[in-house]
Amino acid sequence: MNDPVSPADTLRRSLAGLLDGLPPRQAAAAVERLIANYRGATPTHAPILRDRADVAAYAAYRMPATFEAVHSALEEFAEAAPEWVPASHTDVGGGTGAATWAVSATWPGERSVTVLDWAEPALALGREIAAANPALHDVRWQRSRIGAALSLESTDLVTISYVLNELAEKDRTTLVDTAASAAQAVVIVEPGTPDGYARVIEARDRLIAAGFHVAAPCPHSAACPITPGADWCHFSARVSRSSLHRQVKGGSLPYEDEKFAYVAAARFPVTPAPSRIVRKPQIRKGQVLLDLCETDPALTRTTVTKRHGDLYKAARDADWGDAWPPADH
């Protein structure tokens, strides 16, 4: 019997077919132009993705990274709330639907899903790609301006991924408050930059003020122990690189690492990690150095040596972003 194909593999196959008939040089040029636009100050009333060629190029380039980042965040959320499965999901600013794929990979099965975005070409292509995923056959793809005027119907889960960076501060705060009032759980993902982290912390504070409990990545719902401006909290997800990735970015590695910051919070009780590994573990002879965010809250460095037996083996296998110690220790 063949193993079922994962949503991630299905998504990669679907994206690979998007660029058929589009010359590679043209696709790469479209991606480079779109990246430049996204890094600029683009008002929400002017969609950057103008037509199908734009959307196809950008989806093929960005969807795998968005999927992996959001999936990583959702997996950690699911660890903190193992009995909970969302029966409904609203993806705000979801574009071609990467977060909906990530939700289906985290909690298999069908659910009520709505994707909201201002760019009609992105929604149309998202619907086309979703046809390959049985869990996404009944998604509602709805054109909606993402900002202060947005209203959301009651839903179990709201995801907001790589959206806050496109909004003015007033629109950001109103959007987070709107999500908090509509949802039982909210997961927000931003680029893993100091600015992205600052937006996540701002959203985290508003969610806590609205009565939410932080499920991940933080082991607590107290103030973040990082001194503002001195450092930032972010994580990394491994992404398989397509030929388009290699053409745009150069190099020949078959993968790249997507850096992201996130917060996952819920109105219901959650069990966050005892502590979280917040830097890449440093493996040295006979010891592993782990930088941890603790429940206290505090940032600490702990050294795990061979004298710790099985815990030392677990430390050697631990990844940046993992809960610590592992659940079976």
Side-chain angles (χ1 to χ4, degrees), residues 3 22 41 81 86 104 174 191 212 223 229-230 241 248 260 302 313 321:
D3 292 334
L22 189 64
S104 73
T174 304
F212 279 66
R241 297 179 83 190
V248 171
F260 65 98
T302 187
K313 295 177 183 177

Side-chain angles (χ1 to χ4, degrees), residues 204 208 213-225 272-274 293-298:
R204 178 185 185 273
I208 293 169
H213 312 284
V214 176
C218 322
H220 55 81
S221 294
C224 178
C293 182
E294 305 272 11
T295 306
D296 293 342

Side-chain angles (χ1 to χ4, degrees), residues 78-324:
E79 286 288 327
E83 303 300 319
W84 186 76
V85 177
S88 53
H89 169 217
T90 299
D91 186 16
V92 176
T96 52
T100 67
W101 284 80
V103 169
S104 73
T106 307
W107 297 283
E110 294 188 47
R111 58 185 49 83
S112 170
V113 181
T114 300
V115 179
L116 303 175
D117 200 273
W118 179 237
E120 182 61 43
L123 295 168
L125 193 71
R127 184 185 297 110
E128 180 182 326
I129 298 167
N133 187 339
L136 302 180
H137 281 179
D138 294 324
V139 175
R140 182 170 58 150
W141 303 85
Q142 182 175 321
R143 189 167 189 251
S144 181
R145 193 185 302 277
I146 308 303
L150 180 70
S151 63
L152 296 176
E153 297 178 5
S154 179
T155 185
D156 282 352
L157 172 66
V158 166
T159 54
I160 306 172
S161 53
Y162 298 91
V163 171
L164 298 183
N165 61 316
E166 297 178 28
L167 302 178
E169 182 177 357
K170 180 181 177 182
D171 286 346
R172 289 201 303 268
T173 57
T174 304
L175 175 57
V176 172
D177 292 346
T178 301
S181 65
Q184 293 299 305
V186 176
V187 176
I188 296 172
V189 179
E190 283 286 294
T193 62
D195 286 345
Y197 160 74
R199 289 188 291 270
V200 166
I201 287 298
E202 177 186 74
R204 178 185 185 273
D205 290 345
R206 300 194 76 83
L207 291 172
I208 293 169
F212 279 66
H213 312 284
V214 176
C218 322
H220 55 81
S221 294
C224 178
I226 293 176
T227 303
D231 202 352
W232 73 98
C233 182
H234 65 295
F235 302 94
S236 181
R238 181 63 50 94
V239 184
S240 296
R241 297 179 83 190
S242 66
S243 58
L244 178 59
H245 280 86
R246 290 193 289 272
Q247 185 172 359
V248 171
K249 289 197 170 182
S252 58
L253 282 177
Y255 64 85
E256 65 180 12
D257 293 320
E258 172 74 6
K259 305 297 196 304
F260 65 98
Y262 78 97
V263 63
R267 287 198 173 277
F268 49 83
V270 292
T271 307
S275 63
R276 179 80 57 189
I277 301 173
V278 292
R279 289 288 182 273
K280 185 176 180 180
Q282 298 181 40
I283 300 177
R284 298 179 180 173
K285 187 174 181 180
Q287 62 182 12
V288 181
L289 306 183
L290 299 178
D291 290 302
L292 303 174
C293 182
E294 305 272 11
T295 306
D296 293 342
L299 297 172
T300 64
R301 171 171 284 184
T302 187
T303 301
V304 185
T305 69
K306 286 185 176 180
R307 291 184 291 113
H308 292 96
D310 288 344
L311 199 61
Y312 170 70
K313 295 177 183 177
R316 287 185 61 86
D317 292 335
D319 286 329
W320 178 12
D322 284 354
W324 184 263

